Amino acid sequence: MIFIVNNFDGNKYVGQFVNGMFEGKGTLNWTNGSWYEGEFKKGERQGHGTYCWPNGTKYVGPFVNGACHGEGIIYYTDGTSSKAIYDNDKFISTS
């Protein structure tokens, strides 16, 4: 079952819930213009997903415990892209 949730600070989640937490596939939109679309586990971004910063730059890749983690691809607003490595939301390198 798909739910739409608007919370008190204006963020919006559309997706699946289990035991009151984000679970399975969903989309989370923040009021600053950033968004995440992908997999959730126990309320956290977990598995494969796409995160978009407010400036339009996107990271597509793995998430662990709510953070970009591992090797993914960064898509820049000028149309270019590069491999990117993150460790617990900390940018490590591109190639």
Side-chain angles (χ1 to χ4, degrees):
M1 182 176 280
I2 302 295
F3 292 92
I4 299 173
V5 175
N6 292 301
N7 66 11
F8 66 92
D9 56 6
N11 299 330
K12 180 179 179 181
Y13 173 77
V14 177
Q16 300 169 310
F17 270 86
V18 173
N19 297 323
M21 292 188 280
F22 307 158
E23 186 78 24
K25 302 243 184 235
T27 302
L28 182 58
N29 293 278
W30 287 271
T31 58
N32 69 358
S34 62
W35 55 266
Y36 170 81
E37 182 175 345
E39 300 170 10
F40 289 86
K41 181 88 172 166
K42 296 183 181 177
E44 295 279 350
R45 296 175 290 170
Q46 182 79 19
H48 187 80
T50 300
Y51 178 79
C52 183
W53 284 270
N55 71 359
T57 299
K58 295 178 187 173
Y59 165 80
V60 178
F63 288 78
V64 176
N65 298 323
C68 301
H69 190 80
E71 186 176 303
I73 300 174
I74 295 280
Y75 294 92
Y76 301 98
T77 56
D78 66 2
T80 62
S81 64
S82 64
K83 288 184 181 178
I85 298 173
Y86 278 84
D87 182 14
N88 196 30
D89 250 3
K90 182 180 177 189
F91 176 75
I92 302 298
S93 68
T94 61
S95 59

